[in-house]
Amino acid sequence: MGTEVVRYKYRLRPGTLAERALIEEWHRCRFLWNEAVHQQKTGRKPNFTKLSTMLTETRGRSSWLRDGSQVAQQQMLRTYAQALDASFTVKGRGRPRYKARKKTLPSLEYTRRGFRIRDEQLVLPKGVSMPVVWSRDLPSEPSSVRITCDSLGHWWASFVVTRERQPIPVLDDDSGVGIDWGVARTATATDEQFDLPHAEHRKRCAAELAKSKKRMARRRRGKGQAPSKGYQRARRQAAKVHTKAARQNRHDGRAWAKRVVDEHQLLAVEDFKPKFLAKTTMARKAADAAIATMKRELVERGRRAGRKVVLVRPAYTTMTCSGCFARAKQPLELAQRVFRCWACGHTACRDRNAARVILAVAERGHTGVDDVGHWDPPLSGGGSGAV
């Protein structure tokens, strides 16, 4: 069956001194990241070897850096080098940017020689120790740990471990499903029982969120002045509402993705980019639908389970008939929810028809509607159309 490398995440309960040490360590690592970005912007083209040499020299001169962990600082430079390499090889990935002090959440990483687990506590360099909420047992000895802090001020530890691969259900090769993304219904499948309705978690929290936003606006101080404790409490309350809705969406997405993956061998997913919806009047509802979260959960779980995942370009999927593959002569209006084919007379739900088109394209081994032959009207000489 084999093994797989996964992450196990746990809640941390650091004390005041431990939290202060983590924040100070984060400021040191953030300084190194920003210095590496500066090196790149000035044309010095740093790689991990050069950055490691510079770190050794700088630690010899600066007692402030020596007070921190060399393991965490090296890992920060390694992460920067990986991000820089990905910006040249991954399409759409930009260059690493500066990490602002007030806008960037802390994130530290330690390899095996930089941490240990003793008496059910996580022990870091320089004598930093903190309890861990062990919600489940670790399947193996962790090789590294990533410590993060979310917008609510909660600290988390993510351990990289190796575990036995979960058994994968054996399915028929013919079992496939097409997924079309939307706003009124988050996901429409070829089979109605696998649809994902719009839960509207953020909409239910709208009143509480608006109350927190108003409280923040009343307590906001002028530019250059430190925020008051009342403002910080209101900001934490607003962040708590956002986090609650995000967790509910993530839970729904995982449960739905597991149900879809367990029943289908072929997953034909619309490669929809919801970023442009942020500039439309549907921005708030699209954010509530969390299409990107649902898509990521489905694709990652499908690939991890060994399913065949095909991302189909969304162009012309709503204009194409799933029965004869004839394309409409003009785009459908958004209010037109029923698709009617002008060639064969096929009538179906607009989103359901698009999901069937996506599945048909994936079954033919393509990733776009344009790659598949379309129905043509009969010729005047008596010839027939071709598909």
Side-chain angles (χ1 to χ4, degrees), residues 99-145:
K99 292 183 180 292
R101 181 186 182 92
K102 295 183 179 179
K103 297 182 180 180
T104 310
L105 296 175
S107 176
L108 303 170
E109 190 162 355
Y110 297 86
T111 56
R112 193 66 190 92
R113 66 188 182 93
F115 76 97
R116 64 182 183 273
I117 299 175
R118 185 178 61 190
D119 298 333
E120 302 297 325
Q121 290 194 349
L122 177 63
V123 181
L124 301 178
K126 307 299 180 180
V128 180
S129 178
M130 64 197 75
V132 182
V133 181
W134 298 105
S135 56
R136 52 179 173 172
D137 296 333
L138 288 173
S140 64
E141 192 73 15
S143 59
S144 65
V145 62

Side-chain angles (χ1 to χ4, degrees), residues 73-100:
Q73 296 169 12
Q74 285 182 337
Q75 286 301 114
M76 178 61 70
L77 296 181
R78 188 184 301 275
T79 303
Y80 171 82
Q82 294 174 353
L84 183 61
D85 293 341
S87 66
F88 292 102
T89 57
V90 180
K91 183 179 179 181
R93 188 75 61 84
R95 301 288 187 271
R97 296 180 292 182
Y98 292 108
K99 292 183 180 292

Side-chain angles (χ1 to χ4, degrees), residues 180 317-318 320 322 349-359:
D180 177 74
T317 53
T318 58
T320 305
S322 60
C349 171
R350 168 183 175 148
D351 296 336
R352 192 86 57 200
N353 176 79
R356 292 168 180 167
V357 170
I358 293 171
L359 177 60

